[in-house]
Amino acid sequence: MKKYLVTLIPVLMLSFQPDSPSGASTPGSASMRTVSSGPIDELKPSMSQEKVETLVAKLLTTYHYRKVRLNDSLSSVVWDNYLKEVDNNKTYLLASDVAAFEKYRYQIDDALVNGDLTAAYDLYNVFRKRYQERSAFIKEQLKKPFTFTADESFNTDREKAAWPKSVDEQNDLWRKILKNQALELKLGSRSDSAVTATMTQRYNNLDRAINRIKSAEVFQLYMNSFAEALDPHTNYLSPTNADRFNQEMSQSLEGIGAMLQEDGDYIKITSVLPGGPAFKSNLLKTNDKIAGVAQGDNGPMVNTMNWQVDEVVKLIKGPKGTVVRLHVVSPDAIAGAPPKEIRLVREKIKLEEQRAKKETIEVSDNGRTFKIGVINIPMFYRDFEGARRREEGFSSTTSDVKKFVEELKGEKVDGIVIDLRDNGGGSLTEAIDLTGLFIPKGPVVQVKESTGETEVYSDKDGGSVFYDGPMAVLVNRFSASASEIFAAAIQDYKRGIIVGGQTFGKGTVQTLIDLNQWLPKEPEKVGQVKMTIQKFYRINGSSTQHRGVTPDIELPSAFSAEEYGESSQPSALPWDQINATRYEQSRGIDDKILTRLRTRFDQRLKSDPELKQLAQDLADFRKAKENTVVSLLESKRRKEREEAERKRAAASKVSQVTAPIDETGSPNAPKKKKDLFLNEAGLVLADYILAVNK
């Protein structure tokens, strides 16, 4: 298998990437990508799709890391996935519709093998019919003025809700959905006529988007219901979306530096490109949702809910130096909180701005001031072409960090913090080489094939240690993949202290398969499959998959493992262990020292006013997010909104993205806010220095 795949599929993906090309494609993310009102023809599968269905089933059951059998159990999971994709919020289908399709629940495994797409298209066509009915109902409702004097409420989270049992129940549900949306707009200081106009535009957008839905999008939706049952990073990409996925990141959203995908009503940010305006502004984050786009400082805000991603990209793109404004809904927004408006200046993304940067900070501990060097690494980058040609000074994370360490040693810092917050990964070679700067020699990571074969990747610098001083590694929930390999190795060697939050937990490698290579007689493109084929293990034998890296000193966090990261995905590959490989630990860190550092941190958590307030704000925010029920009575809703705004403002103090470092020295540059997490990492390092030198 290994030899066969390598000859056909040379593209390996290591970093934390947008993992839902069904979303990246997603015309059909769940409840929203549907059809317009008016007579429509039923969508039908093509003969080519039937062949692809059989091929994908064979590839995934044969070569995927998780060896699965097509049986009734998997069939049931796939069917539940598809129902969720088609009607995620349970607002279009009736309970009777869902019951009528139960006959397919345990037949999907046979259908996949036989190229039978009957169930997929029958359900989607019923969904299209129900959408037409809802669209007509919505248009009638929007003709009437909304009133907000009744003391009633609406639960914005319908994950555990049931499908409506009758049309009357469904009508009442949609009455509340529309009323809730209208009240959100009204509280944003819009007139009644403006509210109605915005709502009408929103649902006209939806109708317009659905007119474009073709058989290919339905097929992709269905095949991803199968693929993502194996693991969240395995996907089928239709030909159109395969082309989009293969474009370079910087080309995907030229101007502000971010990648987008459709996600229900909204367009979601799947990644922020280091060095771009979004990254440098610290205003736009991964998983933020775009609800509107405006041109310049005074242009009208265009509501983009239910738009396709290509249309939104056209609005956001623009000449360098021009302004674009976005209405953004944060992933951690409390129910009822309004979207926030952000302002960005478009510019050309510069490669050098994606690279590592350094700074120094000072912290005071036990009456002594410590000078701490900080190296921020936004991604693990490597100029592979330059390396292949053996060009002198080719761009790489390791060479840049090596230069910074040399400079920091010259500045006589007391210790160094490697900041990997929000580093989603990148080059495995760089993760290994970077580790080699801090250890004498030895293994860094183990890679296991689906066949069970394991390969150990080791540091190759000949046993030299470039920096042997005190060091800490700062991570958070969005440190993933190559970041986790580096942090895990530093922790296993006891070479440095890991500080921050539990990391993402992506310990798998994917590869892209061009399906036309397997169906050479098909005259048109048939798409690609992104499939998980390998798994990472630490040198101590523990997998980085699912659990990630647990820090030695855990800081407060707004992001829970249940909501974000690999462990939040039901189909994520499990954590497990293999045999440890041989390696020699440093003697600089032991359990006694770690206990002392944790005790000192706990003392600061109880006594330091800023740290105490931070922990309290995060606790309040997490509790507030649990409440998804909002009032539809205007007076009550205003109070709820004010409270939501207060808590969101408190939580914004601990943005998941590291504040960018301004190295220009410009007097007009905004003053950098105090980074409490970075400051705490410096204090932990100072505690360590005091502990080993006492």
mmCIF file with all atom_site columns, all heavy atoms in Angstrom, residues 8-29:
data_model
loop_
_atom_site.group_PDB
_atom_site.id
_atom_site.type_symbol
_atom_site.label_atom_id
_atom_site.label_alt_id
_atom_site.label_comp_id
_atom_site.label_asym_id
_atom_site.label_entity_id
_atom_site.label_seq_id
_atom_site.pdbx_PDB_ins_code
_atom_site.Cartn_x
_atom_site.Cartn_y
_atom_site.Cartn_z
_atom_site.occupancy
_atom_site.B_iso_or_equiv
_atom_site.pdbx_formal_charge
_atom_site.auth_seq_id
_atom_site.auth_comp_id
_atom_site.auth_asym_id
_atom_site.auth_atom_id
_atom_site.pdbx_PDB_model_num
ATOM 1   N N   . LEU A 1 8  ? 1.548   7.419  -6.672 1.00 0.00 ? 8  LEU A N   1
ATOM 2   C CA  . LEU A 1 8  ? 0.414   8.143  -7.247 1.00 0.00 ? 8  LEU A CA  1
ATOM 3   C C   . LEU A 1 8  ? 0.128   9.461  -6.549 1.00 0.00 ? 8  LEU A C   1
ATOM 4   O O   . LEU A 1 8  ? -0.412  10.381 -7.124 1.00 0.00 ? 8  LEU A O   1
ATOM 5   C CB  . LEU A 1 8  ? -0.852  7.278  -7.184 1.00 0.00 ? 8  LEU A CB  1
ATOM 6   C CG  . LEU A 1 8  ? -0.896  6.093  -8.139 1.00 0.00 ? 8  LEU A CG  1
ATOM 7   C CD1 . LEU A 1 8  ? -2.177  5.334  -7.941 1.00 0.00 ? 8  LEU A CD1 1
ATOM 8   C CD2 . LEU A 1 8  ? -0.794  6.564  -9.578 1.00 0.00 ? 8  LEU A CD2 1
ATOM 9   N N   . ILE A 1 9  ? 0.475   9.549  -5.255 1.00 0.00 ? 9  ILE A N   1
ATOM 10  C CA  . ILE A 1 9  ? 0.026   10.679 -4.462 1.00 0.00 ? 9  ILE A CA  1
ATOM 11  C C   . ILE A 1 9  ? 1.181   11.302 -3.705 1.00 0.00 ? 9  ILE A C   1
ATOM 12  O O   . ILE A 1 9  ? 1.410   10.984 -2.547 1.00 0.00 ? 9  ILE A O   1
ATOM 13  C CB  . ILE A 1 9  ? -1.029  10.214 -3.445 1.00 0.00 ? 9  ILE A CB  1
ATOM 14  C CG1 . ILE A 1 9  ? -1.896  9.116  -4.061 1.00 0.00 ? 9  ILE A CG1 1
ATOM 15  C CG2 . ILE A 1 9  ? -1.902  11.341 -3.006 1.00 0.00 ? 9  ILE A CG2 1
ATOM 16  C CD1 . ILE A 1 9  ? -2.516  8.265  -3.040 1.00 0.00 ? 9  ILE A CD1 1
ATOM 17  N N   . PRO A 1 10 ? 1.910   12.196 -4.313 1.00 0.00 ? 10 PRO A N   1
ATOM 18  C CA  . PRO A 1 10 ? 3.082   12.764 -3.651 1.00 0.00 ? 10 PRO A CA  1
ATOM 19  C C   . PRO A 1 10 ? 2.774   13.883 -2.676 1.00 0.00 ? 10 PRO A C   1
ATOM 20  O O   . PRO A 1 10 ? 3.651   14.347 -1.977 1.00 0.00 ? 10 PRO A O   1
ATOM 21  C CB  . PRO A 1 10 ? 3.898   13.302 -4.830 1.00 0.00 ? 10 PRO A CB  1
ATOM 22  C CG  . PRO A 1 10 ? 2.862   13.673 -5.845 1.00 0.00 ? 10 PRO A CG  1
ATOM 23  C CD  . PRO A 1 10 ? 1.768   12.657 -5.704 1.00 0.00 ? 10 PRO A CD  1
ATOM 24  N N   . VAL A 1 11 ? 1.533   14.376 -2.651 1.00 0.00 ? 11 VAL A N   1
ATOM 25  C CA  . VAL A 1 11 ? 1.234   15.551 -1.841 1.00 0.00 ? 11 VAL A CA  1
ATOM 26  C C   . VAL A 1 11 ? 0.834   15.140 -0.429 1.00 0.00 ? 11 VAL A C   1
ATOM 27  O O   . VAL A 1 11 ? -0.213  14.560 -0.226 1.00 0.00 ? 11 VAL A O   1
ATOM 28  C CB  . VAL A 1 11 ? 0.082   16.363 -2.476 1.00 0.00 ? 11 VAL A CB  1
ATOM 29  C CG1 . VAL A 1 11 ? -0.146  17.636 -1.679 1.00 0.00 ? 11 VAL A CG1 1
ATOM 30  C CG2 . VAL A 1 11 ? 0.396   16.697 -3.914 1.00 0.00 ? 11 VAL A CG2 1
ATOM 31  N N   . LEU A 1 12 ? 1.680   15.423 0.562  1.00 0.00 ? 12 LEU A N   1
ATOM 32  C CA  . LEU A 1 12 ? 1.354   15.134 1.955  1.00 0.00 ? 12 LEU A CA  1
ATOM 33  C C   . LEU A 1 12 ? 1.005   16.418 2.669  1.00 0.00 ? 12 LEU A C   1
ATOM 34  O O   . LEU A 1 12 ? 1.657   17.438 2.476  1.00 0.00 ? 12 LEU A O   1
ATOM 35  C CB  . LEU A 1 12 ? 2.533   14.463 2.660  1.00 0.00 ? 12 LEU A CB  1
ATOM 36  C CG  . LEU A 1 12 ? 2.859   13.043 2.200  1.00 0.00 ? 12 LEU A CG  1
ATOM 37  C CD1 . LEU A 1 12 ? 4.058   12.534 2.976  1.00 0.00 ? 12 LEU A CD1 1
ATOM 38  C CD2 . LEU A 1 12 ? 1.677   12.118 2.404  1.00 0.00 ? 12 LEU A CD2 1
ATOM 39  N N   . MET A 1 13 ? -0.003  16.369 3.533  1.00 0.00 ? 13 MET A N   1
ATOM 40  C CA  . MET A 1 13 ? -0.426  17.552 4.271  1.00 0.00 ? 13 MET A CA  1
ATOM 41  C C   . MET A 1 13 ? -0.254  17.325 5.757  1.00 0.00 ? 13 MET A C   1
ATOM 42  O O   . MET A 1 13 ? -0.825  16.404 6.324  1.00 0.00 ? 13 MET A O   1
ATOM 43  C CB  . MET A 1 13 ? -1.872  17.882 3.942  1.00 0.00 ? 13 MET A CB  1
ATOM 44  C CG  . MET A 1 13 ? -1.997  18.522 2.583  1.00 0.00 ? 13 MET A CG  1
ATOM 45  S SD  . MET A 1 13 ? -3.660  18.445 1.947  1.00 0.00 ? 13 MET A SD  1
ATOM 46  C CE  . MET A 1 13 ? -3.745  16.747 1.446  1.00 0.00 ? 13 MET A CE  1
ATOM 47  N N   . LEU A 1 14 ? 0.559   18.187 6.364  1.00 0.00 ? 14 LEU A N   1
ATOM 48  C CA  . LEU A 1 14 ? 0.891   18.032 7.764  1.00 0.00 ? 14 LEU A CA  1
ATOM 49  C C   . LEU A 1 14 ? 0.230   19.066 8.636  1.00 0.00 ? 14 LEU A C   1
ATOM 50  O O   . LEU A 1 14 ? -0.159  18.800 9.753  1.00 0.00 ? 14 LEU A O   1
ATOM 51  C CB  . LEU A 1 14 ? 2.414   18.128 7.926  1.00 0.00 ? 14 LEU A CB  1
ATOM 52  C CG  . LEU A 1 14 ? 2.980   18.252 9.341  1.00 0.00 ? 14 LEU A CG  1
ATOM 53  C CD1 . LEU A 1 14 ? 2.629   17.014 10.142 1.00 0.00 ? 14 LEU A CD1 1
ATOM 54  C CD2 . LEU A 1 14 ? 4.480   18.440 9.284  1.00 0.00 ? 14 LEU A CD2 1
ATOM 55  N N   . SER A 1 15 ? 0.089   20.288 8.126  1.00 0.00 ? 15 SER A N   1
ATOM 56  C CA  . SER A 1 15 ? -0.350  21.376 8.993  1.00 0.00 ? 15 SER A CA  1
ATOM 57  C C   . SER A 1 15 ? -1.837  21.297 9.279  1.00 0.00 ? 15 SER A C   1
ATOM 58  O O   . SER A 1 15 ? -2.584  20.578 8.633  1.00 0.00 ? 15 SER A O   1
ATOM 59  C CB  . SER A 1 15 ? -0.024  22.717 8.349  1.00 0.00 ? 15 SER A CB  1
ATOM 60  O OG  . SER A 1 15 ? -0.656  22.829 7.098  1.00 0.00 ? 15 SER A OG  1
ATOM 61  N N   . PHE A 1 16 ? -2.235  22.118 10.269 1.00 0.00 ? 16 PHE A N   1
ATOM 62  C CA  . PHE A 1 16 ? -3.650  22.243 10.631 1.00 0.00 ? 16 PHE A CA  1
ATOM 63  C C   . PHE A 1 16 ? -4.313  23.068 9.545  1.00 0.00 ? 16 PHE A C   1
ATOM 64  O O   . PHE A 1 16 ? -4.082  24.251 9.416  1.00 0.00 ? 16 PHE A O   1
ATOM 65  C CB  . PHE A 1 16 ? -3.747  22.936 11.991 1.00 0.00 ? 16 PHE A CB  1
ATOM 66  C CG  . PHE A 1 16 ? -5.120  23.399 12.358 1.00 0.00 ? 16 PHE A CG  1
ATOM 67  C CD1 . PHE A 1 16 ? -6.211  22.599 12.128 1.00 0.00 ? 16 PHE A CD1 1
ATOM 68  C CD2 . PHE A 1 16 ? -5.302  24.635 12.950 1.00 0.00 ? 16 PHE A CD2 1
ATOM 69  C CE1 . PHE A 1 16 ? -7.473  23.025 12.483 1.00 0.00 ? 16 PHE A CE1 1
ATOM 70  C CE2 . PHE A 1 16 ? -6.556  25.071 13.313 1.00 0.00 ? 16 PHE A CE2 1
ATOM 71  C CZ  . PHE A 1 16 ? -7.645  24.273 13.074 1.00 0.00 ? 16 PHE A CZ  1
ATOM 72  N N   . GLN A 1 17 ? -5.128  22.414 8.704  1.00 0.00 ? 17 GLN A N   1
ATOM 73  C CA  . GLN A 1 17 ? -5.690  23.074 7.548  1.00 0.00 ? 17 GLN A CA  1
ATOM 74  C C   . GLN A 1 17 ? -7.199  23.111 7.653  1.00 0.00 ? 17 GLN A C   1
ATOM 75  O O   . GLN A 1 17 ? -7.796  22.452 8.480  1.00 0.00 ? 17 GLN A O   1
ATOM 76  C CB  . GLN A 1 17 ? -5.291  22.305 6.276  1.00 0.00 ? 17 GLN A CB  1
ATOM 77  C CG  . GLN A 1 17 ? -3.775  22.207 6.139  1.00 0.00 ? 17 GLN A CG  1
ATOM 78  C CD  . GLN A 1 17 ? -3.392  21.406 4.928  1.00 0.00 ? 17 GLN A CD  1
ATOM 79  O OE1 . GLN A 1 17 ? -4.208  21.095 4.099  1.00 0.00 ? 17 GLN A OE1 1
ATOM 80  N NE2 . GLN A 1 17 ? -2.132  21.072 4.822  1.00 0.00 ? 17 GLN A NE2 1
ATOM 81  N N   . PRO A 1 18 ? -7.836  23.893 6.749  1.00 0.00 ? 18 PRO A N   1
ATOM 82  C CA  . PRO A 1 18 ? -9.288  23.860 6.725  1.00 0.00 ? 18 PRO A CA  1
ATOM 83  C C   . PRO A 1 18 ? -9.734  22.431 6.489  1.00 0.00 ? 18 PRO A C   1
ATOM 84  O O   . PRO A 1 18 ? -9.395  21.860 5.476  1.00 0.00 ? 18 PRO A O   1
ATOM 85  C CB  . PRO A 1 18 ? -9.655  24.737 5.540  1.00 0.00 ? 18 PRO A CB  1
ATOM 86  C CG  . PRO A 1 18 ? -8.407  25.370 5.076  1.00 0.00 ? 18 PRO A CG  1
ATOM 87  C CD  . PRO A 1 18 ? -7.243  24.757 5.789  1.00 0.00 ? 18 PRO A CD  1
ATOM 88  N N   . ASP A 1 19 ? -10.469 21.870 7.398  1.00 0.00 ? 19 ASP A N   1
ATOM 89  C CA  . ASP A 1 19 ? -10.719 20.438 7.356  1.00 0.00 ? 19 ASP A CA  1
ATOM 90  C C   . ASP A 1 19 ? -12.129 20.079 6.934  1.00 0.00 ? 19 ASP A C   1
ATOM 91  O O   . ASP A 1 19 ? -12.626 19.036 7.278  1.00 0.00 ? 19 ASP A O   1
ATOM 92  C CB  . ASP A 1 19 ? -10.455 19.831 8.731  1.00 0.00 ? 19 ASP A CB  1
ATOM 93  C CG  . ASP A 1 19 ? -8.983  19.768 9.011  1.00 0.00 ? 19 ASP A CG  1
ATOM 94  O OD1 . ASP A 1 19 ? -8.243  19.431 8.084  1.00 0.00 ? 19 ASP A OD1 1
ATOM 95  O OD2 . ASP A 1 19 ? -8.593  20.084 10.130 1.00 0.00 ? 19 ASP A OD2 1
ATOM 96  N N   . SER A 1 20 ? -12.764 20.949 6.231  1.00 0.00 ? 20 SER A N   1
ATOM 97  C CA  . SER A 1 20 ? -14.093 20.594 5.795  1.00 0.00 ? 20 SER A CA  1
ATOM 98  C C   . SER A 1 20 ? -14.335 21.079 4.390  1.00 0.00 ? 20 SER A C   1
ATOM 99  O O   . SER A 1 20 ? -15.078 21.981 4.151  1.00 0.00 ? 20 SER A O   1
ATOM 100 C CB  . SER A 1 20 ? -15.118 21.188 6.752  1.00 0.00 ? 20 SER A CB  1
ATOM 101 O OG  . SER A 1 20 ? -16.403 20.809 6.431  1.00 0.00 ? 20 SER A OG  1
ATOM 102 N N   . PRO A 1 21 ? -13.631 20.473 3.422  1.00 0.00 ? 21 PRO A N   1
ATOM 103 C CA  . PRO A 1 21 ? -13.895 20.905 2.085  1.00 0.00 ? 21 PRO A CA  1
ATOM 104 C C   . PRO A 1 21 ? -15.343 20.715 1.707  1.00 0.00 ? 21 PRO A C   1
ATOM 105 O O   . PRO A 1 21 ? -15.820 21.281 0.773  1.00 0.00 ? 21 PRO A O   1
ATOM 106 C CB  . PRO A 1 21 ? -12.991 20.043 1.234  1.00 0.00 ? 21 PRO A CB  1
ATOM 107 C CG  . PRO A 1 21 ? -11.910 19.665 2.137  1.00 0.00 ? 21 PRO A CG  1
ATOM 108 C CD  . PRO A 1 21 ? -12.518 19.614 3.489  1.00 0.00 ? 21 PRO A CD  1
ATOM 109 N N   . SER A 1 22 ? -16.083 19.906 2.432  1.00 0.00 ? 22 SER A N   1
ATOM 110 C CA  . SER A 1 22 ? -17.510 19.923 2.193  1.00 0.00 ? 22 SER A CA  1
ATOM 111 C C   . SER A 1 22 ? -18.000 21.296 2.552  1.00 0.00 ? 22 SER A C   1
ATOM 112 O O   . SER A 1 22 ? -18.881 21.849 1.965  1.00 0.00 ? 22 SER A O   1
ATOM 113 C CB  . SER A 1 22 ? -18.218 18.877 3.031  1.00 0.00 ? 22 SER A CB  1
ATOM 114 O OG  . SER A 1 22 ? -18.037 19.112 4.387  1.00 0.00 ? 22 SER A OG  1
ATOM 115 N N   . GLY A 1 23 ? -17.381 21.884 3.560  1.00 0.00 ? 23 GLY A N   1
ATOM 116 C CA  . GLY A 1 23 ? -17.684 23.252 3.897  1.00 0.00 ? 23 GLY A CA  1
ATOM 117 C C   . GLY A 1 23 ? -16.985 24.162 2.938  1.00 0.00 ? 23 GLY A C   1
ATOM 118 O O   . GLY A 1 23 ? -17.502 25.151 2.491  1.00 0.00 ? 23 GLY A O   1
ATOM 119 N N   . ALA A 1 24 ? -15.741 23.829 2.592  1.00 0.00 ? 24 ALA A N   1
ATOM 120 C CA  . ALA A 1 24 ? -15.013 24.696 1.713  1.00 0.00 ? 24 ALA A CA  1
ATOM 121 C C   . ALA A 1 24 ? -15.732 24.745 0.406  1.00 0.00 ? 24 ALA A C   1
ATOM 122 O O   . ALA A 1 24 ? -15.639 25.650 -0.353 1.00 0.00 ? 24 ALA A O   1
ATOM 123 C CB  . ALA A 1 24 ? -13.622 24.158 1.507  1.00 0.00 ? 24 ALA A CB  1
ATOM 124 N N   . SER A 1 25 ? -16.411 23.726 0.140  1.00 0.00 ? 25 SER A N   1
ATOM 125 C CA  . SER A 1 25 ? -17.208 23.671 -1.035 1.00 0.00 ? 25 SER A CA  1
ATOM 126 C C   . SER A 1 25 ? -18.550 24.221 -0.718 1.00 0.00 ? 25 SER A C   1
ATOM 127 O O   . SER A 1 25 ? -19.186 24.833 -1.496 1.00 0.00 ? 25 SER A O   1
ATOM 128 C CB  . SER A 1 25 ? -17.387 22.237 -1.380 1.00 0.00 ? 25 SER A CB  1
ATOM 129 O OG  . SER A 1 25 ? -17.784 21.546 -0.257 1.00 0.00 ? 25 SER A OG  1
ATOM 130 N N   . THR A 1 26 ? -18.961 23.942 0.385  1.00 0.00 ? 26 THR A N   1
ATOM 131 C CA  . THR A 1 26 ? -20.290 23.791 0.843  1.00 0.00 ? 26 THR A CA  1
ATOM 132 C C   . THR A 1 26 ? -21.358 24.621 0.329  1.00 0.00 ? 26 THR A C   1
ATOM 133 O O   . THR A 1 26 ? -21.858 25.449 1.008  1.00 0.00 ? 26 THR A O   1
ATOM 134 C CB  . THR A 1 26 ? -20.418 23.973 2.319  1.00 0.00 ? 26 THR A CB  1
ATOM 135 O OG1 . THR A 1 26 ? -19.544 24.881 2.693  1.00 0.00 ? 26 THR A OG1 1
ATOM 136 C CG2 . THR A 1 26 ? -20.395 22.711 2.973  1.00 0.00 ? 26 THR A CG2 1
ATOM 137 N N   . PRO A 1 27 ? -21.811 24.302 -0.693 1.00 0.00 ? 27 PRO A N   1
ATOM 138 C CA  . PRO A 1 27 ? -23.083 24.807 -1.016 1.00 0.00 ? 27 PRO A CA  1
ATOM 139 C C   . PRO A 1 27 ? -23.999 24.265 0.002  1.00 0.00 ? 27 PRO A C   1
ATOM 140 O O   . PRO A 1 27 ? -24.983 24.807 0.324  1.00 0.00 ? 27 PRO A O   1
ATOM 141 C CB  . PRO A 1 27 ? -23.381 24.182 -2.350 1.00 0.00 ? 27 PRO A CB  1
ATOM 142 C CG  . PRO A 1 27 ? -22.222 23.335 -2.677 1.00 0.00 ? 27 PRO A CG  1
ATOM 143 C CD  . PRO A 1 27 ? -21.259 23.416 -1.601 1.00 0.00 ? 27 PRO A CD  1
ATOM 144 N N   . GLY A 1 28 ? -23.824 23.184 0.480  1.00 0.00 ? 28 GLY A N   1
ATOM 145 C CA  . GLY A 1 28 ? -24.837 22.582 1.262  1.00 0.00 ? 28 GLY A CA  1
ATOM 146 C C   . GLY A 1 28 ? -24.540 22.485 2.681  1.00 0.00 ? 28 GLY A C   1
ATOM 147 O O   . GLY A 1 28 ? -24.939 21.548 3.293  1.00 0.00 ? 28 GLY A O   1
ATOM 148 N N   . SER A 1 29 ? -23.819 23.400 3.264  1.00 0.00 ? 29 SER A N   1
ATOM 149 C CA  . SER A 1 29 ? -23.575 23.204 4.675  1.00 0.00 ? 29 SER A CA  1
ATOM 150 C C   . SER A 1 29 ? -24.891 23.201 5.371  1.00 0.00 ? 29 SER A C   1
ATOM 151 O O   . SER A 1 29 ? -25.517 24.196 5.594  1.00 0.00 ? 29 SER A O   1
ATOM 152 C CB  . SER A 1 29 ? -22.705 24.297 5.200  1.00 0.00 ? 29 SER A CB  1
ATOM 153 O OG  . SER A 1 29 ? -22.462 24.113 6.515  1.00 0.00 ? 29 SER A OG  1
#
